[in-house]
Amino acid sequence: MAINALPKQVKLVEVGPRDGLQNEKETISAEVKIALVDRLSQAGFVNIEAASFVSPKWVPQMATSTEVMAAIARKPGVLYSALVPNMKGFEAAVAARADEVVIFGSASEAFSQKNINCSIAESIERFREVAQAAKQHKLRLRGSVSCAFGCPYQGAVGADSVADVVQRLRDLGCDEIDIADTIGVGTARQVQQVFERVAREFPLAQLSGHFHDTYGQALANIYASLEVGVAIFHSSVAGLGGCPYAKGATGNVASEDVLYLLHGLGIATGIDLDAVVDAGQFISRHLGRKAVSRAGNAIAARRAAGA
Ligand code: HMG
Ligand code: MG
């Protein structure tokens, strides 16, 4: 039976400090966030989404982003990324010395309104100014497409709608574009079809898969994405997360689980799984609950048993 060759190397972008923590109700201190980011860079992640410069009225947990970015121990070679919805966010990200800014749009009109309070077309107009400023500052620019596999408000989302937003983000000059399953509803074949469609608009090598694990499909969807050549994925340590504007959506796929899968497939990541398990246990202790990572918890239990 012919099996497609999988990528030999994958870039894993750790989004726990941003996507993971943004939905936490209790305020987490900047010190804990800083320690988390530093543990993740020490574990070997070369791209960490560490901050979000959005309205603190909309996402209060991210209000410490400036403090976090000021105090992390920046490791050479690591890109520290920040979400920016508009020029106000962009200016804060530049002042905080973000290495990459992330503009975030949606393939669903309804989600665009709920998440950033404007239509898809209006969001692209806001992002145009941000994109130009990013180029002037020689900052890396990433674009994110939410609800690429389904929307909590409008239901089905077609691959052509995803491709349309990808085209617009490409035209703004994005260096990388994330195809996001905000509510974790996508399934393996659908994921392959969407990537095959958007790869007609933007180089596959610069597309990433951002999977939430609400329906337990994230690892299968990552494997399906690998089969069609995707080699960048997002994950959250301890499976942290959820989106404040996607009720019921759970966290991103856990970094520990993705690393266990990738390393088992012989795919290089440059990341030390044991150190990520430690980071997952650290943040879970602070949140007062067990990590949502099957591999992380299994490794921690094996250690506790002295095996
Ligand atoms: P708005 O209310 O339409 O904007 O919000 P506005 O321009 O009218 O401003 C309202 C107030 O917000 C003003 O303050 C502004 O100064 C302030 P006031 O005068 O009332 O005191 N403001 C800001 N403050 C700080 N930083 C800023 C900023 N901009 C305005 N950058 C806005 C529009 C986009 C700002 C708002 O809707 C917002 O902040 N939304 C954030 C949504 C968000 O962060 N969602 C979660 C991240 S996306 C996600 O998780 C999905 C992803 O993971 C992929 C996936 O899984 O799908 C990326
Ligand atoms: Mg997300």
Side-chain angles (χ1 to χ4, degrees):
M1 191 198 302
I3 298 176
N4 283 349
L6 303 181
K8 292 191 168 33
Q9 196 167 356
V10 153
K11 179 172 90 169
L12 203 58
V13 180
E14 170 59 50
V15 298
R18 194 286 302 171
D19 204 355
L21 296 184
Q22 73 179 6
N23 208 31
E24 291 295 327
K25 297 279 170 292
E26 301 293 323
T27 307
I28 302 156
S29 71
E31 288 68 30
V32 168
K33 293 174 183 164
I34 293 158
L36 178 64
V37 172
D38 289 347
R39 280 172 178 264
L40 294 165
S41 62
Q42 286 308 319
F45 284 97
V46 292
N47 194 340
I48 301 174
E49 215 168 82
S52 177
F53 294 100
V54 299
S55 163
K57 287 183 194 144
W58 285 62
V59 187
Q61 189 64 255
M62 290 290 106
T64 49
S65 287
T66 295
E67 274 172 86
V68 171
M69 291 293 279
I72 49 178
R74 290 181 193 241
K75 191 174 158 197
V78 176
L79 287 181
Y80 296 93
S81 313
L83 260 61
V84 298
N86 52 21
M87 280 308 288
K88 186 168 180 154
F90 178 80
E91 278 148 22
V94 169
R97 295 195 298 122
D99 302 301
E100 177 183 68
V101 291
V102 184
I103 48 181
F104 50 105
S106 170
S108 141
E109 275 300 344
F111 189 77
S112 183
Q113 290 290 352
K114 295 277 182 192
N115 194 37
I116 50 177
N117 206 21
C118 63
S119 68
I120 296 173
E122 284 163 346
S123 74
I124 298 296
E125 285 319 306
R126 279 185 200 168
F127 299 153
R128 191 177 307 284
E129 206 183 343
V130 174
Q132 282 164 357
K135 297 290 160 192
Q136 277 159 12
H137 284 78
K138 300 201 177 346
L139 282 181
R140 214 168 178 278
L141 178 68
R142 173 146 62 82
S144 182
V145 185
S146 284
C147 296
F149 306 98
C151 168
Y153 307 105
Q154 78 176 43
V157 174
D160 285 340
S161 305
V162 185
D164 178 57
V165 182
V166 166
Q167 273 177 29
R168 298 194 215 192
L169 292 173
R170 174 200 66 199
D171 293 347
L172 293 182
C174 284
D175 299 297
E176 199 167 297
I177 298 181
D178 315 325
I179 307 302
D181 192 1
T182 315
I183 52 169
V185 288
T187 52
R189 190 66 71 216
Q190 178 194 11
V191 163
Q192 292 182 331
Q193 284 163 354
V194 170
F195 273 112
E196 277 163 355
R197 174 67 190 86
V198 297
R200 304 209 309 253
E201 313 299 338
F202 193 73
L204 188 61
Q206 291 154 252
L207 285 170
S208 76
H210 175 114
F211 296 108
H212 287 258
D213 201 26
T214 319
Y215 284 76
Q217 301 302 300
L219 283 182
N221 289 340
I222 287 175
Y223 192 84
S225 307
L226 288 166
E227 282 191 324
V228 294
V230 179
I232 310 173
F233 296 99
H234 294 189
S235 62
S236 271
V237 64
L240 297 171
C243 176
Y245 300 100
K247 289 273 170 289
T250 60
N252 299 89
V253 63
S255 302
E256 299 90 321
D257 296 355
V258 181
L259 287 166
Y260 189 80
L261 171 71
L262 295 176
H263 293 173
L265 289 166
I267 296 174
T269 64
I271 298 163
D272 175 358
L273 171 57
D274 274 311
V276 181
V277 172
D278 291 339
Q281 300 294 308
F282 162 81
I283 191 65
S284 300
R285 267 197 311 279
H286 278 282
L287 296 174
R289 59 170 192 260
K290 207 172 169 193
V292 187
S293 162
R294 304 285 284 268
N297 289 336
I299 292 168
R302 198 184 61 204
R303 284 180 187 165

